[in-house]
């Protein structure tokens, strides 16, 4: 299964992670956005430090939210 990693330094990692997970959870309730079931979401769970999105067709998106170490 393909994988990808990204590291985005920010002082608001926890906030942004929560926003992404909430958005995906809301999208999963909108059938008009799920044409062909490509974005069918089975489960969304998050905390201040990590988030998990599990898709119905297989595959999981996992995201840790760690404080930036850039000193910015």
């Amino acid at each position: 299964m393909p994988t990808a990693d990204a590291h985005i330094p920010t002082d608001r990692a926890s906030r942004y992670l929560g926003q992404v997970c909430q958005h995906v959870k809301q999208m999963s309730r909108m059938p008009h956005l799920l044409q062909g079931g490509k974005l069918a979401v089975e489960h969304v769970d998050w905390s201040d430090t990590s988030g998990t999105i599990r898709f119905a067709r297989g595959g999981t998106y996992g995201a840790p939210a760690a404080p930036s170490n850039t000193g910015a």
Side-chain angles (χ1 to χ4, degrees):
M1 179 175 290
T3 63
D5 289 325
H7 300 274
I8 304 165
T10 179
D11 293 334
R12 297 182 176 180
S14 179
R15 177 183 173 157
Y16 296 146
L17 175 65
Q19 288 176 335
V20 166
C21 290
Q22 287 175 358
H23 183 69
V24 170
K25 189 171 187 173
Q26 289 173 350
M27 284 178 53
S28 71
R29 297 184 200 139
M30 300 177 186
H32 63 284
L33 295 177
L34 304 175
Q35 295 173 355
K38 293 179 183 176
L39 295 177
V41 174
E42 189 173 279
H43 181 75
V44 179
D45 186 36
W46 70 94
S47 68
D48 287 344
T49 58
S50 67
T52 303
I53 300 168
R54 193 168 50 239
F55 297 95
R57 290 188 170 192
T60 302
Y61 169 76
S68 173
N69 60 1
T70 62

